[in-house]
Each structure stands twice: as structure tokens, then as C-alpha cells.
Amino acid sequence: MTAMTPSGDFKTTYRADTTIFPTVTSRNFAIVGIVLLLLCPTFMDRYWLSILIQIGYLSIAALGLNILVGFTGQISIGHAAFFGFGAFASAWFSNSFGVPVFFAVPLAGLLTTAVGMIFGLPAARLKGLYLAIATLAAQFIIEDFLARAEWFTGGVAGTMAEPFSIFGFVFNTDTRYFYVVLAYMVVMYVLATNLMRSRDGRALVAVRDHYLSAEMMGINLTKYRTMSFGISSFYAGIGGALYAHYLQFVSVESVTILFSIQFLGMIIIGGLGSIMGSLMGTVFMVMLPEMMTTITQALSGSSIDLALGLQDNIAFLREMAIGLVIILFLIFEPDGLAHRWKQIKAYWKLYPFSH
């Protein structure tokens, strides 16, 4: 009599169900992906390295917004303001107090967390459209503060930021700074993944799914809603600090409501409530303008170019493309790229018996 082997995927403990890597294959793919990223500076030119660096610090900030919106069910239209505040805070620590940039970056994250908690306290008692208006007000309040506080930001003229350095070694090239951003990105994504596996992470999800049931279970709604704003602001501050020390200059002109909408677009396209989706959405949003530029160059001189004036209106076309893509994803793929990727994996895992 032959022994019967179980078919399917059986998990007998909650810890096994919430593991970071559900299979050995997924863990190996993650390791291979990191190794390939480490090798990128050896075969990529400066332009594509700058694109990867941009994806890195924006994906950190987008992940913070996804923790707030996707995992906790709150809404924020002022995420770019916290991103900019973190950028100015890190430059302020290093310029005014001589704090090494290595320490200025996490300090900027903590200071941005404090600011986020201030706005999170009243917002924790609001929901829906009222919360959206409150976070919109935060966007304009912080933006106005950054434009007027010359002692902190240099005013409308902006401020310089020191290059990233550790023990006298300066990361002042794209090749060197790429490894700095990659290290921060890996650490921040691992922290977020472990947070979602913890009791606090499950409480955030419970607040999103049904806040009344969560409150009946003993979950303090005000505490966790405020906490989600703080965590979101911390991630935005770290991303903004990395942005500042990469460009080595920060201006309040880059911290606009349009930038906040782009952050929302990243998590919507990538997938709300998905850590991997935050990265996928950021890659998509960063590469979208590049794709638009390539398309307009390919159509240069054609009848379409002459009729629409593509070359003269490329900046406007980029913004239109972002809005159109968000609408299309909301209609045809509301769960985002991460959900589609899971469906593709499930299809090939069960092939040829998938349905």
C-alpha cells in the first residue's frame, strides 16, 4: 500500500502564514534580485543609475503612504509636504549643527514623524472626505511654512545639502550613492514587512477593514490612526532626506500638491495594501515619463506630431498620461499591479490545470 502525499499548501501556524517568504523559490528570487541590483553600477550608465536612485527614494516614501492609505484605510493628500519637510530637515541638521549626514537622515525621519503626529492627532478623529480636506490643509500649511521659514529652509531660494558620507568616505557619485539608497530601501521594506506581521500591523489592518469591530475587540482607534500617520511621515522623511542629499539642493517648488497626487498614483497603480505593490507602482510612475518621451521622439516629424504638437507639449502630455493611467487602473485593475502579478504566479504554478 503506497503512502499518500498531501496535495496543496498547508500551514498549521499563524507564524507560517505570515512569513516574509512563503516559499523557498520566492526567497531565492529576492536574493537574486538584490544581487543583480548590486551589479547594476557595473553595466549601467549614469542616466539609468539616476533613474534607479529616483525609484529608490520615491519607493520608500510611497511605502509610507501605502501603510497609511492601503493598510490603515486613512487618506492623505499631503504626502509630498512631509517628503519635502524631511528633505529640508536633513539639510538643516547637517548645515546648522554639523551633524554628519549619516545621522542627519534618520534624525530627519524622526522630526518628520513628530510633525506627522501633530497633524495625525486631529485627523485620527476624521474620516472620508473630511480627512481628505484635513490632509490637504496640511499640505498647504507645511508648504507655506517651508516657503517662509528662512532659518530652516532658506525660504523660496532653497538650501544646499551636503553629500552623503560615512567616516570621511563621500558618496558624491551616482555609482556610490546608488548603494546608499539601495541599503536604505532594503532596510525600510524589511521593517515594513515585519511591521505588518506584528500585532500592531494586524491592528492597523483591522482598523481599515472594520473600525467598529476593531474597537469592540479593544483596539484603540485614535492610537493606531495616529501611529499610522507617524509611520507614514517617517518613511516620507527618510525618502525626502535621501532625495536632498542626492541632488544636494532642496527647493520648496518641488513640494507641490501635484507631487502628492503622484504619490497616490504610485500606490493605486501598484496596489493598495501591498508592500511589493508600492515598489511596482513607483517603478511604473517613474518610467511613464520616460516612455512618453520615447513615444514622442519616435513620432517626431510624423503627421501625428504636426497635428498635436507632441514635441512642444511633452511636459503637458506627461501630466495627462499620469492622470489617464490612474483612471484606467481604477476602472480595469483596481487591485493594482501586485494583484495582477499574484494572478500570473498562480496561473503558472497550477499550469496546465489552472482555471
Side-chain angles (χ1 to χ4, degrees):
M1 185 175 180
T2 58
M4 298 180 64
T5 58
S7 61
D9 187 12
F10 297 96
K11 296 185 174 77
T12 58
T13 63
Y14 190 85
R15 182 176 182 180
D17 189 55
T18 58
T19 182
I20 296 179
F21 300 108
T23 63
V24 177
T25 303
S26 62
R27 182 194 63 191
N28 292 338
F29 267 108
I31 294 173
V32 171
I34 294 176
V35 171
L36 290 176
L37 285 174
L38 290 172
L39 296 176
C40 281
T42 61
F43 59 86
M44 281 189 174
D45 58 19
R46 182 179 178 182
Y47 174 77
W48 285 107
L49 278 180
S50 67
I51 294 294
L52 291 180
I53 292 172
Q54 185 180 0
I55 291 172
Y57 59 69
L58 288 179
S59 67
I60 293 174
L63 177 58
L65 183 61
N66 212 343
I67 292 174
L68 176 65
V69 179
F71 286 98
T72 315
Q74 302 292 87
I75 184 66
S76 176
I77 313 180
H79 199 63
F82 299 104
F83 181 87
F85 188 91
F88 281 112
S90 188
W92 180 62
F93 278 121
S94 59
N95 294 338
S96 301
F97 302 100
V99 177
V101 176
F102 180 77
F103 298 106
V105 172
L107 285 176
L110 293 175
L111 186 58
T112 311
T113 302
V115 175
M117 298 282 278
I118 293 174
F119 286 98
L121 283 172
R125 299 184 179 276
L126 302 173
K127 60 181 179 178
L129 181 61
Y130 300 99
L131 179 58
I133 297 301
T135 57
L136 181 63
Q139 165 74 33
F140 290 118
I141 290 171
I142 296 177
E143 191 175 341
D144 186 68
F145 167 78
L146 296 178
R148 296 176 183 274
E150 295 187 6
W151 58 272
F152 183 66
T153 66
V156 295
T159 186
M160 303 298 294
E162 295 292 330
F164 194 94
S165 61
I166 301 177
F167 304 119
F169 186 81
V170 182
F171 295 80
N172 53 359
T173 64
D174 286 356
T175 301
R176 295 177 179 179
Y177 200 75
F178 169 78
Y179 292 112
V180 174
V181 175
L182 179 61
Y184 270 96
M185 190 181 74
V186 171
V187 170
M188 298 302 285
Y189 269 73
V190 170
L191 288 176
T193 303
N194 281 304
L195 171 65
M196 292 302 112
R197 298 167 63 223
S198 67
R199 181 183 182 278
D200 290 332
R202 295 194 295 272
L204 294 176
V205 175
V207 172
R208 176 200 67 188
D209 289 342
H210 203 293
Y211 68 94
L212 289 177
S213 299
E215 190 173 24
M216 292 177 64
M217 294 168 60
I219 295 176
N220 189 324
L221 299 183
T222 302
K223 170 188 173 182
Y224 282 102
R225 284 173 176 169
T226 307
M227 178 191 297
S228 67
F229 269 93
I231 295 172
S232 174
S233 301
F234 178 75
Y235 274 74
I238 294 294
L242 294 174
Y243 157 80
H245 295 294
Y246 174 59
L247 296 183
Q248 298 179 28
F249 177 78
V250 194
S251 172
V252 71
E253 293 179 357
S254 61
V255 187
T256 61
I257 184 64
L258 178 60
F259 199 13
S260 292
I261 300 301
Q262 289 177 349
F263 275 122
L264 281 173
M266 292 175 191
I267 63 173
I268 290 172
I269 292 171
L272 294 173
S274 170
I275 291 177
M276 182 180 65
S278 303
L279 178 58
M280 297 175 72
T282 304
V283 172
F284 188 94
M285 289 291 285
V286 171
M287 295 304 299
L288 181 61
E290 305 301 320
M291 291 187 290
M292 291 298 299
T293 302
T294 302
I295 293 172
T296 53
Q297 290 177 350
L299 296 175
S300 178
S302 65
S303 58
I304 299 177
D305 183 21
L306 296 176
L308 300 178
L310 297 179
Q311 297 297 327
D312 298 330
N313 299 291
I314 180 63
F316 299 101
L317 289 172
R318 288 176 178 175
E319 307 305 334
M320 290 171 60
I322 291 173
L324 179 61
V325 165
I326 292 175
I327 293 173
L328 291 176
F329 266 89
L330 287 172
I331 295 174
F332 298 105
E333 195 62 70
D335 294 325
L337 293 173
H339 177 70
R340 179 58 56 184
W341 173 243
K342 289 179 180 179
Q343 288 184 322
I344 293 173
K345 288 196 301 181
Y347 175 84
W348 287 108
K349 183 178 181 180
L350 300 175
Y351 184 83
F353 303 105
S354 57
H355 298 284

